[in-house]
Amino acid sequence: MPVISAPHEFNEEDLYVDLHPVVGRSLFLKCEGFNFAGSVKVKAATRMVELAERRGLLRPGSVLVESSSGNLGVALSMIAASKGYGFRCVTDSRCNLSTRLLMEALGAEVHIITEPHPVTGLLGARIEYVQALCASDDRYVWLNQYDNVGNWGAHYETTAPAIARQFPELDVLFVGAGTTGTLMGCARWFSDHRPSVRVVAVDAVGSVSFGAPPARRMIPGLGMGVRPPMLDESVVDDVVWVEEADTIRTCHQLARRGFLFGGSTGTAVSGAVDWLTRHDAEGLTAVTIAPDLGERYLDTVYQRTWVQDLFGEDALRPDEGAAVERAVPRPRQPESPSPALSALR
């Protein structure tokens, strides 16, 4: 029987869903939402806070501040409450209402950016606000999830080896790309330890992370308005882009079989199924990652009026649309993350 004294000490690491009965392809879904923060972000949040403490950046009276579309903000709210720090989450209008309320329930202050930066959009405006806040008061400590070794390092040390233990014959791993912390941690680990495993990034149409043109994105979680500073494409084999309407269709498809997952999961599954179909990969062992569950998306992805207003009635039709693969296979170049890993110690 697990007994814990701090909420971030618990995370279910080894739960998978066999999606073949749902999507008609051999695909296993690693469920990361079963912890007190409700998402995979608890790993990165815990690691980044621990690194900041170890380096003497956090002390009594410190106030954590971070730009987040939601899940990392919840994880940091939980950890800050547990450890006695203040926390201000800087988000924007795309953040789900339930997520904002959850952060506030945990004692966080939520600041919502409504006006985008003219060049870098809402994300750029969020980061600009964080930088100004930290410059105005030295109590504020910005972990900077976009360029923090603890972000990808958490997944190098936990997520990737956990998948490898359960799937020793793994052929392909699909990872959604946001800040690319999960993607980089997993891709670097498999590059180092199982280079035969193909790592495919799944991104949202409208995200500029891999050089695609910017476009409107309404579902928080995956995608970036600027190139992620920690992204190293040499350890990524392929990229698949997914339209947000297909994200919604996939979420509803899973929900009709009793599995309520978040928008990032719908994107990852849609992209994985498309890639497997295009490559006629029925015999491959494939895994993708569900970053969170679906309760926080009841007023968006699972709300009919919201979907119809933004994407039209077609987004609720299960048999229309598919992910769009827009990149050619990427040759992997050997790279060792060992020098960067020394920063984790």
Side-chain angles (χ1 to χ4, degrees), residues 3-333:
V3 176
I4 63 173
S5 57
H8 53 278
E9 293 175 355
F10 171 77
N11 182 58
E12 172 53 59
E13 189 71 87
D14 295 320
L15 178 63
Y16 294 80
V17 176
D18 180 356
L19 290 180
H20 192 280
V22 182
V23 301
R25 287 284 171 181
S26 179
L27 179 65
F28 296 92
L29 182 65
K30 187 180 194 303
C31 301
E32 289 281 358
F34 293 98
N35 55 61
F36 285 94
S39 81
V40 70
K41 291 292 188 177
V42 72
K43 296 178 179 180
T46 301
R47 197 74 177 100
M48 290 190 296
V49 169
E50 289 175 347
L51 283 174
E53 290 175 330
R54 190 175 307 157
R55 294 168 179 172
L57 301 176
L58 288 172
R59 52 192 180 276
S62 291
V63 180
L64 291 165
V65 59
E66 187 58 78
S67 161
S68 170
S69 62
N71 280 338
L72 182 70
V74 173
L76 287 173
S77 298
M78 180 191 77
I79 293 169
S82 175
K83 289 177 172 285
Y85 300 121
F87 175 55
R88 179 180 293 191
C89 180
V90 182
T91 188
D92 59 58
S93 53
R94 295 170 298 183
C95 180
N96 298 323
L97 174 60
S98 57
T99 301
R100 286 182 245 163
L101 294 174
L102 181 53
M103 287 189 280
E104 290 172 347
L106 290 165
E109 179 184 352
V110 180
H111 181 84
I112 301 172
I113 298 292
T114 57
E115 293 297 324
H117 186 279
V119 177
T120 54
L122 286 167
L123 176 59
R126 281 161 36 185
I127 293 175
E128 192 175 72
Y129 176 88
V130 170
Q131 291 172 330
L133 185 67
C134 291
S136 70
D137 190 333
D138 62 8
R139 292 178 305 151
Y140 288 99
V141 177
W142 182 27
L143 297 175
N144 190 4
Q145 64 161 325
Y146 308 105
D147 197 20
N148 190 314
V149 66
N151 189 345
W152 68 263
H155 301 287
Y156 188 97
E157 295 179 343
T158 62
T159 308
I163 293 170
R165 284 194 303 270
Q166 296 299 324
F167 294 90
E169 303 300 323
L170 181 66
D171 294 300
V172 57
L173 174 65
F174 299 93
V175 186
T179 65
T180 68
T182 308
L183 174 64
M184 285 296 94
C186 290
R188 283 176 169 150
W189 191 92
F190 280 101
S191 179
D192 284 352
H193 301 283
R194 297 259 192 95
S196 62
V197 174
R198 182 179 287 269
V199 177
V200 178
V202 183
D203 203 2
V205 169
S207 167
V208 306
S209 297
F210 293 90
R216 182 192 75 165
R217 290 180 294 110
M218 299 304 300
I219 301 174
L222 299 186
M224 291 277 284
V226 299
R227 179 180 170 84
M230 72 180 74
L231 175 60
D232 175 8
E233 295 183 60
S234 72
V235 291
V236 177
D237 295 292
D238 292 308
V239 183
V240 178
W241 281 267
V242 177
E243 296 276 3
E244 287 193 319
D246 295 317
T247 292
I248 292 167
R249 292 185 189 99
T250 302
C251 285
H252 283 256
Q253 181 184 11
L254 293 167
R256 286 193 298 272
R257 299 300 293 267
F259 294 109
L260 195 72
F261 287 106
S264 297
T265 301
T267 302
V269 172
S270 179
V273 170
D274 178 73
W275 190 96
L276 292 169
T277 301
R278 289 173 182 269
H279 290 78
D280 193 23
E282 185 62 36
L284 297 183
T285 299
V287 170
T288 190
I289 297 171
D292 59 6
L293 301 178
E295 292 91 340
R296 296 173 192 172
Y297 301 82
L298 293 177
D299 56 347
T300 54
V301 170
Y302 294 103
Q303 216 285 327
R304 176 173 289 273
T305 302
W306 185 89
V307 173
Q308 289 174 327
D309 288 347
L310 291 173
F311 302 99
E313 185 68 31
D314 286 349
L316 295 171
R317 296 176 183 170
D319 296 327
E320 296 188 14
V324 180
E325 186 177 356
R326 299 186 179 177
V328 296
R330 299 167 179 269
R332 174 173 287 168
Q333 302 170 10

